[in-house]
Amino acid sequence: MKRIGQWLLICASILMLAGCGNDADVSIFMTDLSQSPSDIREPLEQELQEKLGEDLKVSISAAALYVEQKVLIEYAAGEHEIIIVPEDVMKRYSQQGAHRVLDQEFDSEKFPEGVFEAGVTDEATNEIVSEKHLFAIPLSKMKIFQGMNFRTEGLYATIPFSSNSVENSVKVMKLMIGE
């Protein structure tokens, strides 16, 4: 009975979060195991907004502490266009087909760390199959983080499969890289 109550609480939380969207065109979620991205949330958001101008509104949500359940809820709610998480978390969710393939938008040779075998949806069978593609961009290769006093090693930015606008997500990630 206690277990059913816990599942009901999780489901209610997901439903509440799904209704709590923001008016940003591009929403970014960040979390890390060893440091708080909350410290750079505001300067990063301001710099991105300056670069984007009036074209798109960006919003960054940063978890002060890494909590696996928070990451799960953020993925399940599906309200972010870019997700920044540690490598192992990103790869775990990629195995389940949670991220978009980025081969068409970015040069895989520039970002070999983000190329690996993971889950993609087979259009013929609608099943998750394992294929090798570029799924994520390491933050260490993003110019926007230089000079922000934020350790980027082991963190990756990816576009979740639930992204509302892949075009906007790619535009923001290219700005972050410096393209």
Side-chain angles (χ1 to χ4, degrees):
M1 190 59 119
K2 187 176 183 182
R3 191 168 209 81
I4 292 172
Q6 290 173 332
W7 279 106
L8 287 173
L9 182 61
I10 290 171
C11 290
S13 297
I14 291 172
L15 288 174
M16 285 176 45
L17 284 173
C20 296
N22 58 42
D23 62 345
D25 298 305
V26 177
S27 175
I28 300 172
F29 171 73
M30 299 177 69
T31 190
D32 189 18
L33 295 165
S34 62
Q35 63 187 338
S36 174
S38 300
D39 299 338
I40 66 155
R41 186 197 65 76
E42 195 171 310
L44 179 61
E45 189 174 287
Q46 286 176 348
E47 187 166 340
L48 281 172
Q49 197 60 62
E50 285 174 15
K51 290 179 184 279
L52 289 167
E54 299 291 319
D55 291 346
L56 297 172
K57 184 172 187 243
V58 69
S59 166
I60 299 176
S61 170
L65 297 172
Y66 179 85
V67 178
E68 185 64 35
Q69 291 81 358
K70 170 76 171 155
V71 174
L72 175 64
I73 288 172
E74 294 297 338
Y75 271 99
E79 59 182 40
H80 301 292
E81 279 66 51
I82 298 172
I83 293 184
I84 298 172
V85 291
E87 180 179 16
D88 64 323
V89 175
M90 180 269 304
K91 285 185 174 179
R92 189 169 357 116
Y93 280 92
S94 291
Q95 295 305 319
Q96 301 165 18
H99 301 130
R100 296 210 178 254
V101 172
L102 303 175
D103 295 337
Q104 299 295 319
E105 295 83 8
F106 300 95
D107 183 1
S108 325
E109 291 180 13
K110 285 185 178 178
F111 310 106
E113 308 92 330
V115 177
F116 54 91
E117 199 163 303
V120 295
T121 304
D122 182 319
E123 291 180 19
T125 63
N126 209 22
E127 303 263 331
I128 304 270
V129 295
S130 192
E131 293 182 6
K132 190 172 186 174
H133 293 284
L134 175 66
F135 287 98
I137 309 291
L139 263 59
S140 61
K141 297 217 174 156
M142 293 185 164
K143 290 182 182 175
I144 198 160
F145 289 99
Q146 293 174 355
M148 283 203 178
N149 197 24
F150 184 71
R151 187 188 58 77
T152 58
E153 291 304 317
L155 292 174
Y156 287 78
T158 187
I159 299 174
F161 199 77
S162 60
S163 174
N164 292 323
S165 175
V166 175
E167 183 180 324
N168 289 345
S169 303
V170 168
K171 184 176 185 175
V172 171
M173 281 182 63
K174 285 187 178 199
L175 279 174
M176 293 167 80
I177 292 167
E179 292 183 0

